[in-house]
């Protein structure tokens, strides 16, 4: 697992693949796709780490057991859709969402 809090990754583009983008500037993480505007979010690094910890617990459980269904994953974010793009693009030192320019 990546230690995001102590990652040597610079602010900027953190990961790209199949039209999905993860951009980090300061304490903010933008996750988006080029194809579905509603499926873009901006969150803090802490919010992302919280989601990843819950996902890790899900993967470690027996999610195929119908008598013990997994807990839902609680996802918090600052904004979604065009609002997330606008907030990210307005951050100091942001290099902008490439497909929204």
């Amino acid at each position: 697992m990546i230690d995001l809090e102590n990652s040597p990754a610079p602010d900027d583009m953190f990961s790209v693949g199949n039209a999905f983008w993860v951009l980090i500037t300061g304490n903010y993480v933008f996750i988006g796709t080029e194809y579905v505007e509603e499926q873009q979010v901006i969150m803090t690094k802490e919010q992302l780490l919280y989601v990843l910890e819950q996902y890790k617990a899900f993967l470690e459980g027996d999610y195929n057991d119908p008598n013990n269904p997994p807990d839902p994953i609680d996802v918090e974010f600052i904004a979604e859709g065009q609002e997330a793009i606008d907030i990210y693009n307005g951050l100091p030192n942001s290099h902008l969402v490439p497909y929204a320019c």
Side-chain angles (χ1 to χ4, degrees):
M1 178 173 245
I2 295 172
D3 182 2
L4 185 60
E5 288 182 289
N6 300 304
S7 171
D11 280 353
D12 234 358
M13 188 180 317
F14 187 70
S15 180
V16 176
N18 294 335
F20 286 90
W21 299 76
V22 177
L23 306 169
I24 298 175
T25 298
N27 190 44
Y28 296 94
V29 180
F30 173 85
I31 303 171
T33 173
E34 295 180 35
Y35 300 114
V36 184
E37 183 177 295
E38 295 79 25
Q39 293 181 354
Q40 339 242 4
V41 297
I42 187 167
M43 59 180 53
T44 65
K45 287 181 183 178
E46 291 79 17
Q47 288 171 318
L48 176 60
L49 292 171
Y50 178 69
V51 170
L52 292 174
E53 286 299 322
Q54 291 179 87
Y55 183 61
K56 180 180 173 187
F58 166 77
L59 292 176
E60 291 173 346
D62 184 6
Y63 49 87
N64 290 314
D65 180 358
N67 297 318
N68 189 20
D71 292 329
I73 294 178
D74 179 32
V75 180
E76 286 187 22
F77 49 85
I78 297 167
E80 62 186 328
Q82 185 62 49
E83 184 181 7
I85 293 171
D86 293 344
I87 291 171
Y88 183 79
N89 285 346
L91 291 174
N93 301 318
S94 167
H95 294 273
L96 307 178
V97 175
Y99 53 87
C101 297

